[in-house]
Structure formats: structure tokens, C-alpha cells
Amino acid sequence: MNRPTLGIDAGILIGESLGLVSGRPFMTKRYLRAWLVLLACLLVTGYASYYTKSGIEADAQRQFAFHCDEIEEKIAARLEAHRQVLLGGAALFDASDSVERDNWHAYVKRMQIDQHFNGIQGLGFSLLIPKDQLARHIATIRKQGFPEYTVRPAGERDAYSSIIYLEPFAGRNLRAFGYDMYAEPVRRAAMEQARDENIAVLSGKVLLVQEADKNVQAGTLMYVPVYRKLMPVETIAQRHAALYGWVYSPFRMTDLLGGILKSRYNPAAPHLYLQVYDGHSTDADRLLYNSEAKLAATIPPPALLALERHMNLYGREWTLRFAQAEGHASGLDYSKAWITLAGGLLASLLLFLLMLSYLNTRRNAERIAAELTTELRNSASELALHNRILNQISVGMSLPDVLVELVHQVEAMHPDMKCAIFLLEEAGSHLRCAAAPGLPAAYIKAVEELAVSDGGGSCGTAAYSGERVIVEDVQQHPYWNSLRDLVSQAGMRSCWAQPIKDSAEGILGTFSVYHPKTAQPSDTETVLMDRYANLAALVIERIRIQDDLRLKDLALNVTANAVVITDNDAHIQWANQAFSKLIGYSLSEAIGHRPKELVKSGKQSQSYYEQLWQTIITGKVWRGEMINRHKDGTLYDEEMTITPVLCERLLKSA
């Protein structure tokens, strides 16, 4: 496109549009339509801009939710890895007669937990100690080289536990040696749940005994029960009796989850805040983890990008709160929304100016509207004709009668024209006049066998070429040399012929229009000819199909063999009279049933039917003999052929 020319044209349009209203008030009835169009365009522009903006924000929310899902999955995966380590430790006890300190040290060293398992403070074993065995237990551990060992905290309790193995056995973990976790309510609740349900269980929020004064973190522990070998653990009571202790891991939450959000430092990923709370509540005292320690316990998240999720992890619910990092919620790219707004405003202005120009051509618009009104009336008449013809087909009128009625109705709507329908004979070399009630009998008789050829009148040529043929003056056109005197006697001067084609574009015949004066069809008349020819094609095809179906139905009903048609689930759709006579059920009784429901005698095995259906399903014809049961209960032998049909129906003939 030539850009300078576009600019000049737009300038001319604006100048002309403004000239239309120069010196005249804009707010007049004449210009009301233009203002309404402008208002509607502005509303559409506003909505489109808002929709685009909402789409941008929705995409951002989906992307945000996707990253939150990733983090949630990583948390679950990390805890699952720790659970597997604990199950391995429990399995060590199950597979060994006894697990000593050296064995535990070797197992943990081999697991390399400090390299492969982030956040794990250690891997330990806590022994369950009955009250009456506490003193002996303490003496045993002291003999192993720990003279200061005791079970902490002191005091009398019904049962005790003690951390006797914890690797790495150094640093912070030395503080946990001998600690009775069963004495602390939060830990005890998790230990009892693990014992009773024989599963891995997370505890609630605790302060680990390993914590010092610096860098204190919230903690949690995971427990897996260890039962004495060869003792039953099917019921809770049995598990109580068999309990030996717990394999467990203490977790410092910041160390456990700290690496999961590293992706937020990727420029392509959103910058996220994550807070993890113990339980369903988000109270500050339940905070387990805060990805941004510099922030307050509760983040005031932006309204646009914030999510709260709940995870059920090993008997414990965690609440995860995600929020977009500050400064990034406002960093969405709204350029598409601005482009939509600017483009819509420009389009609205141009359309407003076009509307003003349109109002100055009101006379032409009224003329066009009048033509459209006429066309709509013709369309209504054509619709009524279409419905009338279809109704005649449905009540079983013959093809000649329907075609004559079609021509009558067309001539009634267009009194200045005479019409005729010619049908192509089966050999394809001649046309036969099928309907021409308004033409003289002598003319009809003369064209009864009209040759299909190039130059065989308007109709013969149209059938030969497959194209519309317009002869404005039959007295001058060479197509009509042999018929000129005859058509003159009939009082016709022009003839137009439209080929009638079936759905496969094959020639069925022609639809012809005769005028007493020389004439060329208008655009509207050309369209009407095409529509009438299509309607004639519809009539011809439908009636021929109906006649064909009646013939086939008659043939199937008079045959001596029983014939039944089923769907691909073997439900009867149709059957002939011989079938009804054979089984004793009428067609209305049989339709919808499977044949075997009506005639099964029980003389054939189930495998016989299975082989039958396997043959049909593979697309092969099945032939065989059956003993079937008549409606009155008598048995009869039957030779049967079942043929699968491409239309997914089954044709059964016997």
C-alpha cells in the first residue's frame, strides 16, 4: 500500500466529514446515529482494553500459580526423600538381631546425609524405656563410655524414651544425647501417632534441643516406629506391645526449605515470598519458615499475586502462603492493553467520521434498503416454497407431481416468466421434459427428446457444458436454429437455462426460464435461477432415494429368508416379515432387543457365542448353525450368516 496515498485519503475523509457539519450544530437528530456509534465504539474499546488487561493479569496469575505448584512439589519431594531415609533406618533394625552404635554410625555415613539431604539435622534412634528398666538402661549406656549419661528431663513418668544414637554425633547433636522426646507434648503426640498407625509422622512446631543462642530456627521432627522382631503389629494394642523405639530426624526449617526458592533469583521466574505455618492457622506463633527473614511474620501480600495452599504431610497439615516480591507485581507488561486502547480510540474516531460521511449519502442508503427489503420478501416467498415442496415430498407425492408444483409456484411468484424442468435420461444423451405446465403442448412435444449437445438450445447446451446458458434473443442465437420457428409460435423470445446438479456435481437436468421479450437476467434473477435449480435437485435426489428405499424394503420383505438388521451393539433395528414369522415375535416386539434375548435356547455354549462375536468384530463374515427357540417355546434349527457392514450396522440373514 502506498503510505502517502493512505494519508491523503484519510485527510480527505476527515475534511469531508468535518465539512458536513461545519456551520451546523453537532447535536442534532441527523447526527445522533453517529454519536451513538462513537459511544458504542468507545464502550467496546474500553471493554477490549479491560479484557486484554485482565488477560495479562490472568496469565501472570497462572504463571505465579505454576511456580507455587513447583515449590509445593519440591517440598513434598524433599520430605519424601527424608521419609525414605528413616524407613531405611527402621529396616536396618528389622533386618538385624541388634543395631549397635557402630552399626548406626556406618549406616548414616553410607547414606551421606550431609551431602544429599538438605536441612536434616541428623539421623537418630530413640529407645522406648519402661519405667522399671530406666536405672538399668542408664547403667548400660554409661558402661559404653558415657559416664555422665542420663535421661533428660528428670522426673518420674510412666514411660521414657532416650536418644541413644544420633549421627553425626558431634556439635549441636551432642545436646540431644539422652533427651526424652516422649516427655514433651508436641513430640509425644507425633511419636504416639507413628506408633499407633505404623507410618512416618511429622511433629508440630518445636524448638530443637540442638539450638543455641545464635541463628535459632523453628524445628520439626519426623518419626518412623521400630517394632520388636517377630511380634505381631496388626492392631494398635499389638503395636503398643511390640514398640521398640523410633527412628527419627530433626529438621531446622530454614535449612530444610532454604534452597527451594533459589529459582526466584532467576530473572525469568517470579520473585516469591514463602511462609510456612504449622497447621491451618496463620498465627505468628505457628510460623515455621519465612523466606525473607527481614520481613515481619505476616507478609501483606499484593492482592493480585498471592496464594494460600494447604499440604497434608505425614499426619501434619502445613499452610503455605505465597506472595509476589515487592516491586514485581507492578512490573506486568501492559503494552498490549495500551495498544488495544490506542487502536480502539483511533478506530472509533475513523468510524465516527465514516458515519458522518454515510449520513450525507442517505439517499443511496435508502435505495439500498429498499432493494434489500424486496430481496427479503423474495427470500420469505422462497422459504415458503421450499417448505411446501418438502412437505409434498414427505407425504409421498410422485416426482412429476412435485416438479409440476414447483414450476407452478415459481411462475406464480414471477408472472412474467414461464418455466420448465428437463430431466437427463439414464443414457445421458437426451433431456426429457418433466414439468412445463405453462408452455404450449406442441412445444413440449417437440422438445420431448432434446439432445444434450453444444448448440442444442439453451437446455441442451447447459446440460452438455454444466454451466448456465443465457440466450437473450432466441431468434438470433445459433443455439436455436433448429427450434426457432417452434419457439416463436410458443410466443417466447428469450431462454435462460441453469443446469440441475446433484450433490456430487453430476448433471440431473436443467431448469429453464422463458420470456416473451428479449431479456438478460438481473443479478437477483441469476441468484433465483440457481436457487430454484438447487431446490429441483433436492426434490429429484430425495424422491429417488425414497423410491429406492421403498423398492429395497419391498424386496427384503418378500424374500423367503429371514433378514434382521442390528446396530453394532446387536440391538435389532429392522427385520423382515420372514424373520417375525420364524421367531414368532412381531417387528414392534423385536425392535430394541438383541436376537439372543428373543431366541436363545441354551443349546450353544458361551464360548460358541464368543467365537461368533470375535469373528464379527474383526470384520469377517460368520456362518454357522444354531438351535434357537420360538416365542411359543419350540426349538428349531437355523443356518445363519452374520455380515459386519461398514456403516457399523450388522446385517443378519438366515
Side-chain angles (χ1 to χ4, degrees):
M1 182 179 289
N2 189 298
R3 293 183 179 273
T5 301
L6 178 61
I8 293 172
D9 291 343
I12 291 173
L13 174 62
I14 294 173
E16 289 180 348
S17 301
L18 294 177
L20 292 174
V21 294
S22 59
R24 305 176 189 176
F26 281 105
M27 301 304 295
T28 62
K29 185 176 181 180
R30 179 176 180 181
Y31 298 108
L32 178 60
R33 190 179 301 175
W35 285 106
L36 290 176
V37 169
L38 178 61
L39 177 60
C41 290
L42 292 176
L43 290 175
V44 171
T45 298
Y47 175 77
S49 301
Y50 174 77
Y51 183 83
T52 304
K53 174 180 175 292
S54 299
I56 293 169
E57 293 175 350
D59 287 341
Q61 289 172 335
R62 282 191 292 270
Q63 188 69 13
F64 177 75
F66 172 77
H67 287 284
C68 293
D69 290 340
E70 280 189 321
I71 293 172
E72 192 172 344
E73 290 172 1
K74 288 180 180 179
I75 292 174
R78 182 161 294 182
L79 288 174
E80 174 60 19
H82 294 319
R83 185 181 77 93
Q84 293 297 329
V85 172
L86 294 181
L87 290 175
L92 177 63
F93 279 91
D94 293 340
S96 305
D97 292 333
S98 65
V99 177
E100 304 300 332
R101 192 174 308 277
D102 291 342
N103 304 129
W104 189 255
H105 173 77
Y107 169 74
V108 176
K109 182 178 180 181
R110 183 62 176 170
M111 293 297 295
Q112 298 179 328
I113 62 173
D114 56 338
Q115 298 181 29
H116 302 302
F117 300 94
N118 293 340
I120 191 169
Q121 185 64 28
L123 186 61
F125 173 72
S126 179
L127 178 68
L128 178 67
I129 308 169
K131 180 179 180 180
D132 58 355
Q133 297 180 17
L134 177 62
R136 184 172 59 184
H137 164 75
I138 293 174
T140 300
I141 298 299
R142 286 179 177 178
K143 289 179 181 179
Q144 294 175 0
F146 304 98
E148 302 298 325
Y149 171 82
T150 188
V151 175
R152 300 174 288 109
E156 287 197 11
R157 296 181 286 278
D158 293 336
Y160 300 82
S161 74
S162 176
I163 301 172
I164 60 173
Y165 304 151
L166 182 58
E167 297 292 338
F169 195 52
R172 296 173 181 264
N173 284 344
L174 294 177
R175 299 178 186 150
F177 185 51
Y179 180 66
D180 181 3
M181 295 183 288
Y182 207 62
E184 194 275 317
V186 174
R187 292 174 173 85
R188 178 169 184 154
M191 296 165 78
E192 289 179 340
Q193 183 180 356
R195 173 199 65 195
D196 294 346
E197 299 180 21
N198 193 13
I199 58 174
V201 174
L202 273 175
S203 75
K205 178 183 178 181
V206 298
L207 182 65
L208 299 177
V209 295
Q210 289 94 328
E211 291 294 347
D213 296 335
K214 296 180 180 180
N215 189 25
V216 176
Q217 300 179 18
T220 186
L221 304 102
M222 183 181 288
Y223 297 95
V224 169
V226 176
Y227 300 102
R228 291 181 178 86
K229 295 178 65 173
L230 304 179
M231 293 189 66
V233 291
E234 300 301 321
T235 66
I236 293 178
Q238 290 173 344
R239 292 168 190 162
H240 282 214
L243 184 67
Y244 182 63
W246 295 265
V247 175
Y248 82 101
S249 281
F251 305 121
R252 303 180 79 215
M253 289 301 296
T254 301
D255 295 342
L256 178 68
L257 303 181
I260 289 180
L261 289 184
K262 286 183 179 180
S263 62
R264 72 186 190 279
Y265 300 115
N266 180 354
H271 290 222
L272 302 178
Y273 291 150
L274 171 62
Q275 292 177 328
V276 180
Y277 292 86
D278 177 32
H280 195 78
S281 171
T282 56
D283 295 339
D285 60 348
R286 290 184 170 269
L287 182 65
L288 287 171
Y289 172 73
N290 188 351
S291 64
E292 301 295 334
K294 62 182 180 181
L295 297 179
T298 301
I299 300 175
L304 177 61
L305 298 177
L307 284 175
E308 185 173 298
R309 301 283 181 83
H310 297 277
M311 297 181 66
N312 290 311
L313 296 164
Y314 311 111
R316 198 72 190 172
E317 181 181 12
W318 281 4
T319 299
L320 279 62
R321 296 186 64 188
F322 300 92
Q324 185 83 318
E326 185 178 358
H328 290 272
S330 61
L332 299 180
D333 183 7
Y334 288 106
S335 58
K336 290 183 180 179
W338 286 112
I339 291 173
T340 302
L341 178 62
L345 291 175
L346 179 59
S348 300
L349 177 60
L350 290 176
L351 191 58
F352 174 65
L353 296 177
L354 281 171
M355 192 65 184
L356 294 179
S357 179
Y358 159 77
L359 293 175
N360 199 42
T361 58
R362 184 67 176 272
R363 185 177 302 173
N364 290 335
E366 291 174 352
R367 177 180 57 81
I368 294 173
E371 292 179 355
L372 289 174
T373 301
T374 302
E375 186 175 343
L376 287 174
R377 289 174 182 168
N378 290 337
S379 298
S381 300
E382 292 168 25
L383 180 60
L385 170 62
H386 195 277
N387 292 335
R388 181 183 180 90
I389 295 301
L390 290 180
N391 182 63
Q392 292 176 345
I393 295 174
S394 67
V395 298
M397 285 185 65
S398 66
L399 178 59
D401 290 342
V402 176
L403 293 180
V404 169
E405 180 64 20
L406 171 59
V407 172
H408 266 309
Q409 294 299 323
V410 173
E411 291 179 345
M413 290 189 293
H414 306 280
D416 58 335
M417 63 174 64
K418 299 297 181 180
C419 301
I421 294 177
F422 290 84
L423 296 181
L424 185 66
E425 291 187 342
E426 187 172 348
S429 60
H430 290 81
L431 292 171
R432 177 178 54 82
C433 184
L439 294 177
Y443 177 78
I444 296 174
K445 183 177 180 181
V447 297
E448 182 64 28
E449 293 290 333
L450 186 63
V452 175
S453 63
D454 187 10
S458 300
C459 297
T461 305
Y464 176 81
S465 65
E467 303 291 338
R468 183 185 307 114
V469 174
I470 305 298
V471 175
E472 183 178 1
D473 187 352
V474 297
Q475 297 299 326
Q476 304 297 327
H477 203 283
Y479 288 174
W480 288 85
N481 288 338
S482 61
L483 300 171
R484 186 171 292 126
D485 293 339
L486 190 62
V487 77
S488 178
Q489 294 173 10
M492 299 297 133
R493 192 61 185 271
S494 65
C495 180
W496 316 329
Q498 178 76 28
I500 300 173
K501 298 181 180 180
D502 60 22
S503 56
E505 294 297 308
I507 300 298
L508 296 173
T510 62
F511 182 90
S512 57
V513 176
Y514 299 86
H515 277 272
K517 298 179 180 180
T518 58
Q520 281 276 1
S522 65
D523 291 342
T524 300
E525 289 172 327
T526 300
V527 172
L528 290 175
M529 285 179 60
D530 185 62
R531 290 178 181 172
Y532 295 147
N534 289 338
L535 181 55
L538 177 65
V539 170
I540 295 167
E541 287 194 293
R542 285 202 178 182
I543 291 181
R544 287 179 176 176
I545 290 173
Q546 287 181 354
D547 291 344
D548 184 60
L549 290 176
R550 290 192 190 101
L551 179 61
K552 292 177 179 178
D553 183 73
L554 178 62
L556 288 173
N557 268 313
V558 299
T559 183
N561 290 338
V563 179
V564 58
I565 299 175
T566 73
D567 61 16
N568 56 358
D569 291 323
H571 294 101
I572 296 174
Q573 304 293 301
W574 180 89
N576 67 353
Q577 296 174 3
F579 178 76
S580 297
K581 184 178 179 180
L582 178 67
I583 68 172
Y585 291 91
S586 66
L587 180 59
S588 60
E589 292 175 317
I591 287 178
H593 291 280
R594 291 186 171 93
K596 70 177 184 179
E597 296 173 356
L598 304 177
V599 302
K600 186 174 182 180
S601 64
K603 299 296 184 179
Q604 285 78 220
S605 65
Q606 182 63 29
S607 62
Y608 188 84
Y609 288 107
E610 291 175 356
Q611 183 271 335
L612 180 154
W613 276 105
Q614 187 61 38
T615 301
I616 297 173
I617 291 172
T618 58
K620 298 177 182 178
V621 176
W622 183 89
R623 294 181 178 87
E625 295 183 359
M626 284 191 179
I627 300 175
N628 287 333
R629 185 183 300 276
H630 192 274
K631 182 179 180 180
D632 61 10
T634 61
L635 301 180
Y636 60 92
D637 294 330
E638 181 180 12
E639 291 185 1
M640 185 178 300
T641 299
I642 300 179
T643 304
V645 182
L646 291 178
C647 63
E648 297 185 357
R649 304 276 177 166
L650 296 178
L651 178 61
K652 172 186 171 183
S653 62

